[in-house]
């Protein structure tokens, strides 16, 4: 599996990690976030995170398994 990088534009100043996972299509419903975070390696700016309420902001880099997402302000 190859590593892919995606630029993700958000409309707000911050977005919760659980909302972000839904926004990029990794989960279908917000209720799936806790299980997803426990089952997958999710790093925010290089640090493992499991809190679905963790706040992301433009400039943050989220690594999920083999994919990298770079948040940008739209």
């Amino acid at each position: 599996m190859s590593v892919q990088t995606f630029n993700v534009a958000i409309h707000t100043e911050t977005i919760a990690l659980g909302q972000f996972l839904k926004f990029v299509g990794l989960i279908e419903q917000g209720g799936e976030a806790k299980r997803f975070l426990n089952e997958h390696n999710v790093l925010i700016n290089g640090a493992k995170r499991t809190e679905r309420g963790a706040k992301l902001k433009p400039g943050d880099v989220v690594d999920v398994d083999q994919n990298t997402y770079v948040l940008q302000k739209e």
Side-chain angles (χ1 to χ4, degrees):
M1 182 183 293
S2 64
V3 176
Q4 293 187 325
T5 300
F6 302 94
N7 292 319
V8 179
I10 59 173
H11 305 285
T12 57
E13 294 298 317
T14 64
I15 185 171
L17 180 55
Q19 292 174 319
F20 170 81
L21 295 173
K22 186 176 175 184
F23 183 69
V24 298
L26 294 172
I27 61 174
E28 291 183 17
Q29 298 179 11
E32 299 171 20
K34 186 175 182 177
R35 187 182 82 231
F36 183 91
L37 291 168
N38 286 327
E39 294 176 356
H40 295 268
N41 192 31
V42 178
L43 305 175
I44 299 174
N45 300 325
K48 180 155 175 65
R49 299 296 294 266
T50 58
E51 313 86 26
R52 64 186 180 118
K55 296 295 183 194
L56 305 173
K57 61 188 179 311
D60 284 345
V61 176
V62 181
D63 293 299
V64 181
D65 298 327
Q66 295 294 317
N67 296 320
T68 298
Y69 301 87
V70 181
L71 276 75
Q72 300 174 339
K73 180 72 174 166
E74 183 172 88

